[in-house]
Each structure stands twice: as C-alpha cells, then as structure tokens.
Amino acid sequence: MMNNQPKYSPTFSADTLALVQRIIARYPEGKQKSALLPVLHLAQAEFGGWLSPETMDYVASLLGIQPIEVYEVATFYTMFNLKPVGKCVLEVCRTGPCMLRGSDDIIEHLQKKLNIRDGETSADGMFTLKSVECLASCGTAPVMQVGNHYIENLTCENLDGILDRIRSENESKT
Amino acid sequence: MTRQVLLKDINVPGILSYEVYRRQGGYSAVEKALREMTPEQVTEEVKLSGLRGRGGAGFPSGLKWTFINRNAGKPVYLVCNADESEPGTFKDRYLLEHIPHLLIEGMILSSFAIGANTAYIYMRGEFRWIFPILERAIAEARAAGFLGDNILGSGFSLEIYVHPGGGAYICGEETALLESLEGKRGNPRLKPPYFPAVMGLYHCPTLVNNVETLATVPAIVNMGGAEYARIGVGKSTGTKLISASGHINKPGVYEIELGLPVEEFIYSDEYCGGIWKGRKLKAVVAGGSSVPILPADLILKTAKGEPRLMTYESLAEGGFESGTMLGSGGFIVMDETTCIVRNLWNFTRFYHHESCGQCSPCREGTGWMEKVLHRIEHGEGRPHDIDLLDDVAKKIEGKTICPLGDAAAWPVSSAIRHFRDDFEYHIKYPEKVKNPKHFELEPLVSRSHLATA
Ligand SMILES: Cc1cc2nc3c(=O)[nH]c(=O)nc-3n(C[C@H](O)[C@H](O)[C@H](O)COP(=O)(O)O)c2cc1C
Ligand code: SF4
Ligand code: FES
C-alpha cells in the first residue's frame, strides 16, 4: 500500500478459480454471497497470509457483490489478517482452560524468545504472534495453531525445538 | 465400563474410511429408515428416545424437528452446528476428526425426517485439517449411493456441503450462524420472527442441530427410541460426550451414561483420574465457560447433601443459588492453586472480545466487567468493586438479543456468590496478588471447603 508502488492486482490461479466456481455452486442460485467466507480463506492462503484492500476488492468482483460487503465481513472474523504477517503465524490459545495449564507462560516465552509482543512480527519476518480464543483443544492444552495444524501439549521446554523445526520447514520452502 | 453409543467404534483401525465404517454396521440405519420407515416415523423414534440437544441448551430434539414446516412451499435446510467454540468444549471435534461417517449418517436420517434435500455443516474455520476429512467422507458416501439423487431408490435426494466459519464464537449461536452462512457478519437475529424452523437460512425452514445430537440419531434408529431412552436417568436419556480439561490427570473426551455421579467422573481412573499433582479440588465449571461455577463441595453434592449426578436435572438442582447446568458438557476442573478472579477475568475478556456489539448491555457491560476484573486481579481493586461487578452482571442478564449476554453474566454472579473470599483477598492484599501466581505460592482456603479424594 505504499503509493509509489504499482497497484497490485491479485488474481487466482486457474485451479483456484475453478474451485471458486465449485464453491459458489454449493449455494442456491442468487445466493453466491454465501461463498464469501470460503473464498476469503482461499484468498488469504493464496495472497500472502493476509487480506489487502486489493484482495478484498478482487473477491467482491468474483462474487458480484459490493466491496463494502467484503470489508464488513473481513473485519468481523478474527481469522482474517488485515495487515501483512510473517511467513508463519503462531496462533496461541489464551482462554481459561489453556491458562489453567500454562498458556500465560507459553505466550510470555514466545514474546521473549522472538522479541515481539502480541500481534507483532519478528524482525526476520518469520513469525507473527497472535493470541487467539479457545481452539477446541482444551484437553491437550496449551495449544497453538500453525497453518493447517494444531501443536498440542506445549511446554516452555518443547517450544524452542518446535520453533526451530517450523523455521527450517519454512526456509526450505522458499 | 459405561455403555458406549457414539464412541463404540472410535478405536477400530480405519474407521475414518467408508469401508471400515460400513463393515462395522454403518449406514444400516439409513437402509432401515429409507426402506422401512416414513419420515414421521423417524421423528417419532427421536421423540421417544428423549434425546436433547447436545449443543448446550438441551432442547428436546424430536420436538424441535416437528416445528419444521415441510409444506411452506420453500426448500427445507438442515444445518449442522460444528462451530464448537464454547471454551472447554472439544467433543464435536473428536467425532468430526475420527468418525465423520457417523455424522453423515445422522445427517441423512435427519434430513429425511424433515424433508431437507440440502444440508450444510458449518464448521469453525480453525479446523483446517478436518475439511478434507469430511469432504472425503462425503465423497465416499456419495460413491456408495448414500448421498446424491434418489438414495437407495427411495426417491429421497440429499447433498451435504461443508462451510467454514471465520473465527467468531458468536457464530455458534444458531441465528448468527445462519447470518454467517449467508456471507454476512455474525449478528444474531431477533426471535421472533427469525425462529430458524420458520425463517431460517435464506428465510426458509431450517433445522439447526449440534454435531453430537445428529451423530446420535443412527443409534436411535437402529435400536429404537424406546430402547435408547432406557439408557440414562429420567429425562436425561442416553449418553453424553464430556470434554474434560483443566487440573486433572487425564484430560480428554469421555462418553458417559447420563446419571454417572460427578465424584466418580472426577476421581475414577476410567475418566478424569483425579486432580493432578495430588492436589485438592477447588472448583468446577461443568458445562462450558458460560455456566455458573461451583465450589468443590457443591459440585460433588447438592445443597441437600445428595450426590450430584451428571444429568441435566441434577446439575441444575438448587437453581442458580447452588446449582449449575450440563450445558455443552465442557467440564473444566480447577485445583486449590487456582485464582477464581484471574480465571473469571480471562472468561470475561473472552465474552467482551466475542460480543457482536448489537446490544449495549452486552457490548458495554462485558467491557466494564473486564475492566473491573482486570483491576481487581492486578492489585488495583476498590472495596465497592465486588458489588459493582455483581450489579453490572445483573443489568446484562435477560436484557439482550441473544444468550451471549447471559453467558457472560452468569459466570460473574456465580463466582461472586461462591468465592467472595477470593475477591476480598485481592482487595485486601493488593501487593500479594500482583504476582500472577499468587495462589500457587499460597493457596487460599476459603469457606467452601476443598474436596479431597
Ligand atoms: C453464544 C452462543 C454460542 C453457541 N455456540 C454453540 C456451538 O459452538 N455449537 C453448538 O452446537 N451450539 C452452540 N450454541 C447453541 C445453538 O444456538 C443451538 O442451540 C444449537 O446448535 C442447537 O443444536 P442442538 O439442539 O442439537 O443442541 C451456542 C449458543 C450461544 C448463545
Ligand atoms: S447479547 Fe451480545 S452477542 Fe448477543 S446479540 Fe447482543 S451484543 Fe450481540
Ligand atoms: S482454552 Fe485453549 S483450546 Fe480451549
């Protein structure tokens, strides 16, 4: 969104566009707005882990709805990131049952280790820390979501090894 | 061993697949219903079973199904509530992840009963790895002829689709869920007129049921409603999945026969296995974060001194003075080192964060309560803060569009009612409570005596 850069226009791959059509077909005719949440998830995954205004406008055009209808929704749901994030977002549960089993210590440990506060991204652009509410994993607390998976039964001791593993996986990807 | 209805096959290797599920007798309830029963007969069996909604409210399921008007000249929808975001609850995830065909079978039966040809599973978006599991199971069921057009030649057709949420607790509330499914913000709708059974998804008659509720239907059709009703106690028929978390030796999901004594559930090795680290029990939140908290003595025995049972009625015994609710079955256990104020502050912050903001008592009240609790917990509380909190909670209760307001107020009122000593300690010893682990260093023995095994 730096104004000296050319306007970025996101476009889905042909495969994703075909998937979008299949998603729209799940809902009755004329109700394609129902596809908004699933398509926003696809957009966030395909365009760098967050939803820029350009991305949201693109989604609006795909579904034939007004951009404002997309903004309203994107700002309501916490899974959507409205500013750039690191390569890997650590979504750590902070709710009661996790707190009973030490999530406060986990969050503090991550803040110190990565030298960031909640919502911030580490200097190397690798990790964003985001505290989230109950992930429905209270029986294996404390827990964090990383990408498509949960990492459960966290301890301050096993956390460093987990971070190293995630870091090397993400480095080998690029 | 307790009677297992939902989880009996969960450990069979490969139960995730259609083949193994079918080999274990899966989809036989669909064959029975579509070949031998009318939709009304299926509903009748569910009525006879006494099954009550497992999402939290405990409303009789069969009765709810009869509210659906099949003759409104509009399509009828079934929506499975898989939003599972009540803190302390993780049982639906267990079914979705490990035995998806059980839910699909239940959804086919329920759709047949209410005349729905399209069904959606609204699943919280965080369950990213479960989407392919469900989609694969749906494709398998379709390939086997249990979904799609003219299922088993009965003339009944059904498609099931999975829909992701976006991270919002309020979308578990059924009318907010429907708004969300329509691609909007999750603002709950006013009832009346927006009762889902009448004006639900796309303003059409819609049945919203929890994952566990729907997953129970195959067993009811197979064994018959009357037989199912023999499991459990009184009006609490059947089995219930309990998500056990907190300070216990064996957290996890347990299927219990309703009527099990709470004491056995907490201390038996078959279930929670007792309090961790050899400590004493201080409190339990028995039905997910929204229900009243009870101190050890009142969760084990009612105020009348009778053993407390895991049933809708027994947990509610004593009303809000000395009872609580079964709710979603999210059983959160707290040991003697737990700070009730800190826990309540955490939950209240949750409700403030999750309030959709439509009603001012909920939007503003949860914010005030969070602020006051924050200051008490951090050693900045004032003597009149406890009564102020109680007052704000009362001003939210019953005055909002949806029950989230009540869900935020009840934990506050009950914590003050049963643990006033904890609050007073914070105000009396501000320096001590500035250490977040204050009660770990020095447990507070309050009036409500701690329970030993
Ligand atoms: C704030 C709030 C959150 C809720 N969250 C859920 C949920 O995550 N899952 C669920 O099944 N029901 C939830 N409910 C209850 C639903 O509104 C609804 O009663 C339920 O899905 C009906 O299904 P049942 O009759 O099978 O229980 C919630 C209710 C409220 C007020
Ligand atoms: S009670 Fe709270 S969550 Fe429910 S509609 Fe009102 S503001 Fe929204
Ligand atoms: S409180 Fe963390 S997963 Fe439920």
Side-chain angles (χ1 to χ4, degrees), chain B residues 146-223:
Chain B
F146 286 107
L147 286 173
D149 287 337
N150 193 17
I151 300 169
L152 304 180
S154 66
F156 170 66
S157 305
L158 177 67
E159 296 293 347
I160 299 180
Y161 304 105
V162 193
H163 183 98
Y169 166 64
I170 191 59
C171 291
E173 192 283 326
E174 56 188 11
T175 61
L177 184 153
L178 297 177
E179 283 285 293
S180 180
L181 189 45
E182 292 181 9
K184 298 182 239 164
R185 296 167 76 96
N187 288 342
R189 298 171 174 172
L190 268 175
K191 299 190 226 178
Y194 294 104
F195 290 108
V198 186
M199 288 247 268
L201 184 63
Y202 313 125
H203 287 192
C204 297
T206 304
L207 174 69
V208 183
N209 268 141
N210 172 260
V211 172
E212 184 186 347
T213 312
L214 294 168
T216 306
V217 177
I220 293 172
V221 169
N222 277 329
M223 71 173 84

Side-chain angles (χ1 to χ4, degrees), chain A residues 51-95:
Chain A
L51 298 173
S52 66
E54 291 81 6
T55 301
M56 290 191 267
D57 293 351
Y58 174 63
V59 168
S61 71
L62 279 180
L63 297 181
I65 58 180
Q66 294 301 317
I68 180 75
E69 297 178 83
V70 180
Y71 306 158
E72 271 180 353
V73 163
T75 52
F76 186 84
Y77 295 93
T78 54
M79 287 184 76
F80 300 118
N81 301 313
L82 302 176
K83 24 174 242 220
V85 291
K87 270 191 195 151
C88 170
V89 185
L90 308 175
E91 296 174 285
V92 190
C93 176
R94 63 181 185 187
T95 314

Side-chain angles (χ1 to χ4, degrees), chain B residues 37-189:
Chain B
M37 296 168 79
T38 63
E40 292 73 21
Q41 283 171 327
V42 175
T43 303
E44 191 53 34
E45 292 304 322
V46 174
K47 270 191 175 166
L48 282 175
S49 76
L51 176 67
R52 293 165 67 173
R54 303 300 196 217
F59 192 84
S61 306
L63 181 61
K64 186 164 164 178
W65 292 13
T66 63
F67 297 158
I68 298 284
N69 181 0
R70 307 172 54 126
N71 305 316
K74 291 179 180 178
V76 173
Y77 293 102
L78 171 71
V79 177
C80 168
N81 189 342
D83 193 52
E84 191 156 70
S85 33
E86 169 91 355
T89 315
F90 44 96
K91 45 131 192 145
D92 296 336
R93 168 185 164 195
Y94 195 58
L95 295 174
L96 294 161
E97 218 179 344
H98 297 290
I99 189 158
H101 284 287
L102 188 62
L103 173 63
I104 295 170
E105 185 174 6
M107 289 181 72
I108 299 170
L109 295 165
S110 311
S111 299
F112 174 68
I114 63 165
N117 301 119
T118 307
Y120 296 98
I121 302 173
Y122 183 100
M123 185 159 76
R124 60 178 301 172
E126 290 88 346
F127 287 170
R128 287 197 184 105
W129 73 99
I130 306 181
F131 286 90
I133 293 177
L134 282 178
E135 260 149 19
R136 181 161 166 230
I138 290 169
E140 286 176 332
R142 210 169 189 286
F146 286 107
L147 286 173
D149 287 337
N150 193 17
I151 300 169
L152 304 180
S154 66
F156 170 66
S157 305
L158 177 67
E159 296 293 347
I160 299 180
Y161 304 105
V162 193
H163 183 98
Y169 166 64
I170 191 59
C171 291
E173 192 283 326
E174 56 188 11
T175 61
L177 184 153
L178 297 177
E179 283 285 293
S180 180
L181 189 45
E182 292 181 9
K184 298 182 239 164
R185 296 167 76 96
N187 288 342
R189 298 171 174 172

